[in-house]
Amino acid sequence: MDQGRRHVRRKHLVKTENLGSSQSDIEKAVSILRRGGLVAIPTETVYGLAADATNEEAVSKIFKAKGRPAHNPLIIHVKNIKMAQQYVQWNEAAEILTMKFWPGPLTIVLPSTKNSQVAKTACANLPSVAVRMPGHPVALEILRQFNRPVAAPSANLSGKISSTSIDHVLKNLNQKIDAIVDAGNSTVGVESTIVAFTPLPTILRTGFITPEAVSNALGAKIANYDNEGPVIAPGQLRSHYAPNAKLRLDAIDWRQGEKKLGFGDVECDINLSKGKSLSEAAQNLFNFLHVLDSFNPRTISVSPIPNEGIGLAINDRLKRASIQE
Ligand code: AMP
Ligand code: MG
């Protein structure tokens, strides 16, 4: 590489500040957001890469740092229902779902309000906005102090394994973002459930909150989420969450040379949940994929996971992670 090119490349690197979750560190994180910077923040689902959702330039930095396609819209994080109502046209179903599940791992997609200040880039120029009030106390404190909506996709390179700890964030984004707020491991471990109203309530992405829970809350049928069907949400990439290794799913035998990700009472390299708890498996999923991938195996084989409840979200992530494009 010649001198000139090396110089250009170095100019894009920034020092990533490692922050904790003390009051003064949270204030620092908020001041970075105010000046249009990028901060990785803890949420209960996975770590998010946050920027001021009302600042086009700040939002475009998220897409650049992650290498995320511009057609993949971002979830807008809010401090409460009232803040969400400034950006989306509320309806009765939204009221019911948010009263029951917020703060928490549920995102709802609604038409944007006429005077919504959310950056067009964040919504991939769609007439709708996806909003969520996270349950993590540090995320909430940042949102309260910032007092503005924050766009925050998962803090990883686009298409790669999501981050549930700051080690994962650093592996992907060190020197590409201004700061990381460390608050330990994410407890839910998979991304939020996304519900859209088209106009029937439809699950666009499975998550910790199951389709049954959404349907029970609404007292209504929800449109069938069909893993095999066409892509109904923009940016729902077929290949996603991918380790470098190939994934072999539903493995009931183990083959030589593979790294073995188990579930239940099986011999393996690492077990998502010996006691077959799907929430424990979700919490461990991305971390264990990071761990096994770090051995650079050709293949990671994975035990079958029951396709029910939170297992729907786990299998969705595993399936996308197994597709290499
Ligand atoms: P994440 O990558 O976790 O930030 O989740 C973003 C996903 O939320 C996108 O891939 C879309 O499927 C969905 N989403 C976000 N904003 C919208 C929107 N305005 N309309 C429809 N879906 C959206
Ligand atoms: Mg993501």
Side-chain angles (χ1 to χ4, degrees):
M1 199 189 303
D2 65 40
Q3 285 297 326
R5 276 186 60 196
R6 203 181 301 153
H7 179 69
V8 169
R9 187 170 278 187
R10 209 183 290 134
K11 255 176 46 180
H12 292 296
L13 298 181
V14 295
K15 185 179 176 312
T16 301
E17 199 172 349
N18 245 305
L19 301 172
S21 45
S22 66
Q23 265 308 319
S24 67
D25 278 354
I26 287 178
E27 279 165 26
K28 266 190 207 160
V30 169
S31 71
I32 294 169
L33 292 174
R34 281 200 204 295
R35 55 169 201 264
L38 297 185
V39 185
I41 62 166
T43 85
E44 73 279 28
T45 57
V46 298
Y47 272 72
L49 182 56
D52 181 349
T54 65
N55 178 336
E56 290 282 355
E57 205 185 319
V59 166
S60 66
K61 287 185 198 165
I62 294 180
F63 285 87
K64 199 164 159 215
K66 282 182 58 98
R68 182 174 173 110
H71 63 79
N72 192 353
L74 308 177
I75 293 172
I76 307 305
H77 294 69
V78 291
K79 68 171 184 176
N80 55 27
I81 290 178
K82 203 165 155 221
M83 187 181 259
Q85 289 169 336
Q86 286 178 248
Y87 306 109
V88 292
Q89 295 176 36
W90 214 241
N91 63 25
E92 202 189 327
E95 183 68 19
I96 294 168
L97 290 180
T98 55
M99 288 303 282
K100 184 157 178 74
F101 297 115
W102 279 13
L106 180 82
T107 297
I108 52 173
V109 179
L110 289 164
S112 61
T113 52
K114 252 204 189 116
N115 53 358
S116 162
Q117 301 289 308
V118 172
K120 299 262 178 296
T121 320
C123 305
N125 284 310
L126 293 164
S128 55
V129 183
V131 283
R132 170 166 111 88
M133 177 185 179
H136 196 292
V138 175
L140 278 176
E141 187 54 28
I142 290 170
L143 284 165
R144 282 194 204 106
Q145 288 193 25
F146 186 45
N147 205 21
R148 276 193 210 179
V150 151
S154 54
N156 52 271
L157 295 177
S158 181
K160 295 295 178 188
I161 314 174
S162 306
S163 300
T164 54
S165 75
I166 67 152
D167 291 348
H168 306 156
V169 179
L170 282 169
K171 204 161 98 179
N172 277 253
L173 296 169
N174 192 24
Q175 296 191 302
K176 288 183 158 191
I177 63 177
D178 298 292
I180 300 182
V181 175
D182 185 2
N185 296 339
S186 306
T187 51
V188 168
V190 289
E191 292 81 354
S192 58
T193 305
I194 305 179
V195 180
F197 306 95
T198 59
L200 266 187
T202 306
I203 306 268
L204 297 188
R205 177 174 73 190
T206 49
F208 191 79
I209 294 172
T210 62
E212 299 79 53
V214 173
S215 161
N216 287 343
L218 292 174
K221 270 203 154 172
I222 48 171
N224 248 348
Y225 174 78
D226 181 0
N227 243 345
E228 304 296 327
V231 172
I232 46 177
Q236 287 286 337
L237 309 174
R238 256 168 41 86
S239 170
H240 209 145
Y241 320 105
N244 293 322
K246 275 193 188 153
L247 277 194
R248 186 166 72 83
L249 304 183
D250 298 318
I252 44 172
D253 59 340
W254 300 129
R255 298 178 191 162
Q256 229 191 352
E258 294 179 339
K259 284 286 172 195
K260 307 164 189 74
L261 181 57
F263 178 81
D265 189 16
V266 289
E267 294 234 345
C268 53
D269 291 299
I270 193 162
N271 203 317
L272 287 168
S273 174
K274 257 194 143 154
K276 296 192 176 175
S277 152
L278 289 169
S279 54
E280 185 186 11
Q283 191 179 52
N284 289 329
L285 179 69
F286 290 131
N287 185 30
F288 289 180
L289 285 175
H290 276 285
V291 169
L292 294 181
D293 207 33
S294 69
F295 292 98
N296 282 320
R298 278 172 72 113
T299 305
I300 298 171
S301 47
V302 191
S303 288
I305 313 283
N307 205 29
E308 63 198 30
I310 304 161
L312 292 169
I314 298 173
N315 283 321
D316 168 68
R317 306 309 188 268
L318 284 170
K319 188 167 172 213
R320 289 178 207 271
S322 72
I323 297 171
Q324 297 189 330
E325 284 180 339

